[in-house]
Amino acid sequence: MSTPIDFYFDFGSPYAYFAAARIDALAARHGRTVRWRPVLILALFKATGALPAPMIPLRGPYAERDTARTAQLNGIAYRQPANFPQLLLAAPRATLWIDTEYGADKAAAFARRCFEAYFAEGVDIGQDDEVVRLAEEQGVDGARLREAMHGAAIKDQLRKAGEEAIARGVFGVPFMLVDGEPFWGFDRFDQMERWLTQAAAVPAAA
Amino acid sequence: MSTPIDFYFDFGSPYAYFAAARIDALAARHGRTVRWRPVLILALFKATGALPAPMIPLRGPYAERDTARTAQLNGIAYRQPANFPQLLLAAPRATLWIDTEYGADKAAAFARRCFEAYFAEGVDIGQDDEVVRLAEEQGVDGARLREAMHGAAIKDQLRKAGEEAIARGVFGVPFMLVDGEPFWGFDRFDQMERWLTQAAAVPAAA
């Protein structure tokens, strides 16, 4: 059996959204599945001393132009959210909880919906109510989710997810691990695809 | 007449080397020329507070893997120089001087040779002697270059080149400006190519 692609993401990253819009189809073309792994990019940035691009002189304006252009050239619906950037906690916590309670497929479907809602539909997923609503659309028990989202257990789980990611060399999002090979950024999807093609041709190598 | 592509580079960047290996052919496919513009990446980093990737935890090891993989997938000869990273001053100064004394074509040819020597042939272009030798191979007067390389005029010119780049929004290398549209990174060559294709189709837009 081929191993799943580990896909690390933060809901606040436009590039993670682009990756989220394309990764399942890419994986399927190579007989792979995707393990969706929410992390907080700020936790990763602590490990490297990095700052979010929108807060960096010159890079902020470029990032705005580059995300719009990347969306357009890839045919992905995108508009920068009104409340951007912001620290998004409810969505990644909910994803982890849904993963535990309902399984990985439901968690991935929910995560995809959160990304679309935030980056294409103008929904502010920084609001608990919106996150719960999107979860309920997926058949999740909203009342239980709402309670779990603020519990110590889920906060601890998200913190540990970040530590585990850093231990595997993850320092940004989107970040993909394919049989241990690291790919950082939506702009590495072409390299990841070629890597998967080679891995299929010579299964033992890599 | 179509305007040249402005190509900002620092000789110490592997990604600038990859860009240098491909940019002239890319431009030619769209009836464009390339204006080779050496800058010091450290000067740009001062504007954004950035650090060189090799010095950042986690990002350093990733960058080493990513550059090797990018070179391999693009069929570009590459091995990480023994003395890397280092502050390279002689090569960009020489490029500016050759540009003034011998013209832009000669400067570009010299810059290409410096990149290849450093990143493919194990030549330490941090040494004045090597830079002078590579310039002489291009028909440049080595004695005059050696003298000019340490003069106040060329240092001032390189500093001003950095300031001008920052004023145009340049914050890293390789950085390309196509009719004012900014592209940062060798991984934006595909977007730049599509942009050039569109510009050719609708000359007045953009």
Side-chain angles (χ1 to χ4, degrees), chain B residues 30-176:
Chain B
H30 301 275
R32 304 271 187 146
T33 55
V34 178
R35 192 80 181 88
W36 288 58
R37 297 188 179 278
V39 288
L40 293 183
I41 197 169
L42 285 182
L44 307 183
F45 280 3
K46 273 188 197 162
T48 60
L51 286 172
M55 293 164 179
I56 302 174
L58 304 177
R59 277 196 59 186
Y62 176 81
E64 210 169 309
R65 200 153 178 173
D66 187 60
T67 46
R69 186 174 62 205
T70 299
Q72 189 222 320
L73 291 176
N74 287 279
I76 300 172
Y78 173 78
R79 61 175 198 267
Q80 188 172 292
N83 191 357
F84 177 87
Q86 64 171 310
L87 177 61
L88 298 168
L89 292 171
R93 288 178 189 166
T95 304
L96 288 178
W97 186 80
I98 293 168
D99 195 309
T100 304
E101 298 288 322
Y102 295 85
D105 287 352
K106 184 78 87 181
F110 166 75
R112 271 192 298 274
R113 273 300 295 138
C114 285
F115 270 122
E116 289 165 6
Y118 188 52
F119 283 113
E121 299 164 19
V123 175
D124 185 2
I125 62 167
Q127 305 296 318
D128 284 4
D129 287 350
E130 298 289 8
V131 169
V132 170
R133 182 178 63 76
L134 291 167
E136 285 174 339
E137 277 179 23
Q138 301 290 325
V140 167
D141 182 330
R144 286 188 60 222
L145 168 61
R146 193 182 292 270
E147 199 187 322
M149 248 164 30
H150 293 282
I154 204 71
K155 293 178 188 177
D156 196 48
Q157 197 182 342
L158 185 55
R159 186 181 54 73
K160 281 186 182 149
E163 289 169 359
E164 185 212 84
I166 290 166
R168 298 183 76 189
V170 176
F171 55 84
V173 296
F175 205 106
M176 289 70 62

Side-chain angles (χ1 to χ4, degrees), chain A residues 139-163:
Chain A
V140 167
D141 183 329
R144 286 187 61 220
L145 169 61
R146 194 183 289 271
E147 198 186 321
M149 248 165 32
H150 293 282
I154 204 71
K155 293 178 187 176
D156 196 48
Q157 197 182 340
L158 185 56
R159 185 181 52 75
K160 280 185 182 149
E163 289 170 0

